[in-house]
Amino acid sequence: MKISVISSDKQHMESIFHVLQEGEHPHSVLLFEGGKEQLGPVADRELPDLIVMESAGDGQEAIAATESVSQRHPGISFIMLCEHVSAENLIQAMRIGVRDVLPAPVSPQALKEAVARVEQKLAHTEMPLHKGKVLAFIACKGGSGATFLAANLGYALAAEYGKRVALIDLNLQFGDASLFVSDRVPATTLSDVANNISRLDASFLASSLVHVLPNFGVLAAPENPAQGSDVQPEHIDTLLGLAVAEYDYVILDVGRNLDAVSVKSLDHADLIFPVLQETLPFIRDAKRIISTLQSLGYDNDKIRLIVNRYEKGGEIQLADVERTLGMKVIVTFPNSFEAVSASVNQGVPILKMAKKDPVSKTLLKLGHDIELGKEEKTGWLGHLFGRA
């Protein structure tokens, strides 16, 4: 792999050079002493596979310089080394395509792992791989039912339409998606996968899932909330890059927190489903979430509203919700308290318990519409899947 290193610290630059030259297959590395002003000329002249850029301070100026370069050269990957970086700058860096933001001076192991991820990405882009679809569910407020819908839609796509489905629980603090469709205790969680990301392959991923069906499994959230910090944005890139090559659908239960990890996962999503109910607190929080998603650059065609526990004749009408949020609701799930409660309490998919229940029928219809849009390029999401 062809790598260009830019740094104003000659000693740091030489250390990076030696790290990249280690191993059986050393990289082709060129060193450029200087700062952000070198970024454009180096990219234009050398056209490397990867630029490693060291920046003083919080990296804000380097991030701004990288944005224009990445637009001219979308095939170049970037690793940024900064003395410190804020959460806001980290999200901005990810949005413009920076693969990793690492502390400077960088440790040899961290640099090797980051470069290995870039190599893996290049290998995947060069191979004609199967590309599954990523569906992300976001709870507009606690108790929305987003996890229930994500888990049971995964079961519906696998059981009724024969699709290979993986559900990934990204609620890193208190995720419990596996409990909605299985009574098995997860032997491996997302934090375990993150801590062993260098050995992640198809068999490791499959063995890490709680298998509800042979073609449907759940990657559980960390058991201990403290382990949530083990999962980093770069792990999501590697995980989802592999998952979409192995499964027809990858369903993400994102939770409510829009942090660096969840934003990275949403970057991979083909569709984002905010889930709300017809009450004022839900509508207010839905408006905030939609506004945030739009500010992050996600097109409205990517955002699809779901209203859960819908009842006709309520004080707030569906038209009121759509007018307030400025977009259509694509599906409403009826309020079927007894069947849903029984499903949740027993950890059994609702389709398995009560296939004729209105919620089950709506799940099957949503699964059908997703498949229709994917295969026939028609219907309410066909234009989106048709672009893939």
Side-chain angles (χ1 to χ4, degrees), residues 40-361:
V42 168
D44 295 338
R45 183 176 63 252
E46 303 297 334
L47 294 176
D49 299 305
L50 169 65
I51 293 179
V52 179
M53 172 77 185
E54 186 173 47
S55 173
D58 64 2
Q60 178 61 52
E61 293 183 355
I63 290 172
T66 302
E67 183 170 14
S68 61
V69 174
S70 65
Q71 290 173 350
R72 294 202 309 273
H73 301 288
I76 297 178
S77 297
F78 298 87
I79 294 175
M80 188 169 294
L81 313 178
C82 302
E83 293 175 353
H84 57 85
V85 63
S86 67
E88 181 181 350
N89 285 352
L90 178 60
I91 291 176
Q92 183 184 353
M94 291 188 300
R95 290 292 307 151
I96 64 174
V98 175
R99 295 287 300 174
D100 280 279
V101 180
L102 304 175
V106 66
S107 73
Q109 186 61 30
L111 181 59
K112 287 178 181 178
E113 291 175 356
V115 171
R117 286 190 288 271
V118 174
E119 284 189 298
Q120 187 178 42
K121 174 201 169 189
L122 290 175
H124 283 169
T125 56
E126 291 169 0
M127 296 173 60
L129 296 175
H130 165 86
K131 179 72 163 61
K133 298 300 179 183
V134 180
L135 312 176
F137 283 74
I138 298 181
C140 292
K141 195 171 184 63
S144 68
T147 300
F148 173 85
L149 295 179
N152 280 276
L153 176 63
Y155 182 87
L157 288 168
E160 298 297 322
Y161 300 103
K163 300 301 173 182
R164 293 170 296 163
V165 184
L167 170 64
I168 300 176
D169 192 347
L170 289 168
N171 188 342
L172 300 181
Q173 299 302 313
F174 301 103
D176 56 2
S178 65
L179 300 180
F180 283 75
V181 285
S182 174
D183 59 0
R184 291 174 51 200
V185 177
T188 305
T189 70
L190 181 56
S191 64
D192 297 317
V193 171
N195 287 324
N196 293 276
I197 201 70
S198 62
R199 55 181 285 253
L200 181 64
D201 57 17
S203 60
F204 180 29
L205 176 57
S207 67
S208 300
L209 304 181
V210 175
H211 284 278
V212 183
L213 294 170
N215 57 332
F216 173 45
V218 183
L219 181 57
E223 181 67 24
N224 186 332
Q227 296 173 331
S229 60
D230 295 341
V231 184
Q232 297 298 313
E234 59 268 20
H235 300 149
I236 300 301
D237 270 336
T238 303
L239 173 60
L240 293 184
L242 174 64
V244 296
E246 298 296 324
Y247 297 90
D248 299 308
Y249 290 101
V250 180
I251 299 178
L252 309 178
D253 182 17
V254 177
R256 292 192 65 214
N257 294 326
L258 287 177
D259 54 18
V261 170
S262 57
V263 169
K264 177 61 73 174
S265 70
L266 292 176
D267 284 345
H268 289 264
D270 294 284
L271 290 173
I272 302 171
F273 295 97
V275 180
L276 67 148
Q277 297 178 33
E278 282 184 305
T279 66
L280 189 58
F282 272 98
I283 296 169
R284 181 188 60 210
D285 283 8
K287 191 171 183 66
R288 292 172 177 170
I289 285 178
I290 291 169
S291 176
T292 301
L293 293 174
Q294 291 169 336
S295 70
L296 288 169
Y298 303 124
D299 192 87
N300 281 350
D301 282 345
K302 193 173 184 176
I303 304 170
R304 298 288 169 169
L305 293 181
I306 293 178
V307 169
N308 194 22
R309 297 173 188 163
Y310 170 71
E311 292 183 344
K312 291 183 179 181
E315 187 175 342
I316 298 176
Q317 299 296 308
L318 199 61
D320 299 325
V321 175
E322 294 177 335
R323 184 169 56 253
T324 302
L325 300 182
M327 60 178 58
K328 291 288 185 181
V329 173
I330 60 100
V331 64
T332 60
F333 280 85
N335 188 7
S336 185
F337 180 79
E338 289 187 8
V340 171
S341 294
S343 169
V344 172
N345 289 334
Q346 297 180 43
V348 177
I350 192 170
L351 280 169
K352 193 172 181 180
M353 291 189 63
K355 194 168 184 178
K356 295 183 179 180
D357 185 84
V359 170
S360 296
K361 292 179 180 179

